[in-house]
């Protein structure tokens, strides 16, 4: 029925407003309808805060409406467990909701079971309305729940001629992209649980890899991860000297065994070292992703040089791409050409769900690579 679709579309739109504030939780929206009228709506606004169903029920109360006998449209199966918040199923049952229409079932073992609880309490339940849209909205959440692996985002900023860095930076700074583009990157960093780079980038650029958004304290800074197969990490780099976020060095098993004392020294400095099997004398990227997934990294941002970015793409390990293009041609004053290492990619990869945004004169192109949920 078209009215059901319209109400679920509104719930999906509400859910989208939570993106960037709720991760690693999913973004969820909820609409409550009675006698053909919307009497309450809500979304999951912030990690650790009330879920969408609770906010929608509270909205009914604010509006002076009784939700008993109403129909609830929600983008994700209501939770049936207690963690940071009480189970939503009990609140729905207590409110006297007659019917719940759910876009998608919860893929996690911990949170699933809400549908069964609702049915046992006599609440009518329907599932699958706008399911594909709901799962695409929270694609990182679904991928991690179903595969144990993080959703991988690669991001880079380049000149028009494909250079990622200045050879001789101007006095204004070493950045390729402008200030608004960089602010957008920090909003992206806020969403993820891990930011990964390579040791060559650490040595060349000495990045902080922290989230810096004016007026917004960061309660849960993403883990900073460095692939360092030979343990060349400089002791004076900001990933060690700036303790605003935890740092993990990933090296190879052989290096960790040969440099045991150095590994212990890093640990004494508060930097964890983890070893994975080698692949072509570098860290095995699939093994890295497996370990990060076990650590609860749902979304992983790759901020690295052309070689490492290309390796992730060549091994089909990337889910999302975001490219900032600055309106400059660096020519011989540019280095780190992205096009050369891309030759390692055997078959073409086409982006879908394309979004094009402008940040002053910069252009940002983002899109998804093929991935089945």
């Amino acid at each position: 029925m078209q009215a059901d679709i319209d109400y679920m579309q509104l719930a999906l739109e509400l859910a989208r407003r939570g993106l960037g504030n709720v991760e690693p939780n999913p973004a969820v929206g909820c609409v409550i309808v009675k006698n053909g009228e919307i009497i309450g709506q809500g979304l999951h606004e912030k990690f650790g805060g009330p879920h969408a169903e609770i906010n929608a029920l509270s909205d009914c109360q604010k509006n002076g409406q009784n939700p008993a006998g109403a129909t609830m449209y929600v983008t994700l199966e209501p939770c049936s467990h207690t963690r940071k918040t009480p189970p939503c199923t009990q609140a729905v049952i207590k409110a006297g909701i007659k019917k719940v229409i759910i876009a998608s079932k919860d893929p996690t073992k911990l949170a699933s079971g809400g549908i069964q609880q609702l049915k046992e309490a006599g609440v009518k339940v329907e599932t699958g309305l706008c399911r594909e849209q709901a799962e695409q909205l929270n694609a990182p959440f679904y991928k991690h729940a179903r595969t144990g692996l993080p959703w991988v985002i690669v991001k880079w900023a380049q000149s028009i001629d494909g250079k990622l860095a200045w050879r001789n930076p101007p006095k204004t700074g070493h950045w390729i992209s402008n200030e608004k583009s960089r602010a957008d990157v920090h909003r992206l960093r806020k969403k993820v649980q891990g930011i990964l780079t390579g040791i060559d980038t650490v040595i060349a650029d000495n990045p902080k890899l922290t989230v810096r958004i004016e007026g917004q304290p960061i309660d849960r800074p993403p883990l900073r991860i460095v692939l360092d197969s030979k343990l060349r990490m400089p002791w004076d780099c900001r990933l060690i000297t700036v303790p605003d976020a935890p740092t993990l060095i990933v090296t190879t098993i052989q290096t960790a065994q040969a440099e045991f004392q150095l590994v212990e020294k890093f640990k004494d400095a508060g930097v964890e070292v983890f070893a994975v099997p080698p692949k072509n004398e570098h860290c095995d990227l699939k093994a890295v992703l497996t370990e990060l997934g076990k650590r609860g990294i749902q979304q992983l941002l790759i901020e690295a040089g052309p070689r490492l970015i290309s390796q992730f793409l060549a091994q089909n390990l990337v889910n999302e791409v975001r490219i900032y293009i600055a309106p400059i041609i660096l020519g011989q004053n540019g280095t780190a050409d992205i096009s050369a290492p891309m030759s390692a990619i055997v078959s073409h990869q086409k982006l879908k769900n394309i979004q094009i945004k402008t940040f002053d004169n910069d252009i940002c192109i983002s899109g998804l690579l093929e991935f089945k949920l």
Side-chain angles (χ1 to χ4, degrees), residues 30 38 64 71 83 136 171 190-191 207 211 278-279 286 296 344:
C30 180
I38 296 174
T71 297
R83 289 190 82 178
Q136 286 291 344
K171 293 180 180 180
K190 183 184 174 187
K191 289 176 57 177
V211 182
K279 184 175 181 179
K286 291 183 179 179

Side-chain angles (χ1 to χ4, degrees), residues 37-238:
E37 299 290 336
I38 296 174
I39 62 171
Q41 52 186 306
L43 67 143
H44 183 31
E45 298 178 357
K46 183 180 180 181
F47 178 81
H51 289 183
E53 300 93 323
I54 305 303
N55 284 331
L57 290 170
S58 297
D59 193 43
C60 289
Q61 186 176 13
K62 292 177 185 177
N63 296 332
Q65 299 286 345
N66 182 0
T71 297
M72 174 180 283
Y73 297 81
V74 63
T75 58
L76 181 69
E77 176 181 359
C79 66
S80 58
H81 67 293
T82 299
R83 289 190 82 178
K84 292 182 178 295
T85 58
C88 292
T89 49
Q90 297 306 309
V92 173
I93 294 167
K94 185 178 179 180
I97 296 292
K98 182 180 180 180
K99 184 178 182 180
V100 178
I101 299 179
I102 301 167
S104 180
K105 296 179 180 179
D106 195 308
T108 62
K109 293 181 180 179
L110 177 64
S112 62
I115 291 174
Q116 186 62 32
Q117 281 195 10
L118 292 173
K119 288 182 176 180
E120 289 174 355
V123 179
K124 294 181 180 179
V125 179
E126 294 181 6
T127 61
L129 183 65
C130 303
R131 180 188 62 81
E132 185 174 347
Q133 289 175 264
E135 295 193 0
Q136 286 291 344
L137 178 69
N138 289 302
F141 169 73
Y142 282 92
K143 180 189 178 183
H144 186 259
R146 291 171 176 169
T147 68
L149 297 173
W151 179 267
V152 178
I153 307 165
V154 294
K155 159 263 163 186
W156 70 85
Q158 67 169 67
S159 61
I160 290 175
D161 54 340
K163 307 297 175 58
L164 272 60
W166 294 85
R167 192 176 300 277
N168 297 299
K171 293 180 180 180
T172 52
H174 64 278
W175 297 285
I176 296 290
S177 56
N178 64 31
E179 187 175 348
K180 288 187 177 180
S181 291
R182 298 196 299 273
D184 188 60
V185 171
H186 282 279
R187 290 190 291 270
L188 176 60
R189 287 180 178 181
K190 183 184 174 187
K191 289 176 57 177
V192 305
Q193 294 76 54
I195 304 172
L196 184 146
T197 193
I199 185 60
D200 290 339
T201 297
V202 174
I203 293 172
D205 298 339
N206 194 18
K208 292 181 182 178
L209 298 184
T210 55
V211 182
R212 301 183 295 280
I213 302 176
E214 188 175 355
Q216 292 188 28
I218 305 303
D219 300 327
R220 297 171 293 112
L223 176 67
R224 302 177 294 189
I225 305 137
V226 182
L227 301 191
D228 185 5
S229 58
K230 304 300 181 184
L231 282 183
R232 296 184 290 140
M233 188 84 153
W235 288 99
D236 60 349
C237 72
R238 291 173 175 174

Side-chain angles (χ1 to χ4, degrees), residues 231 235 249 251 255-274:
L231 282 183
W235 288 99
I249 298 175
T251 191
T255 300
Q257 291 172 342
E259 303 290 346
F260 176 77
Q261 291 183 339
L262 183 56
V263 169
E264 293 301 308
K265 187 177 178 182
F266 276 118
K267 291 180 179 179
D268 290 341
V271 177
E272 184 181 359
V273 179
F274 183 83

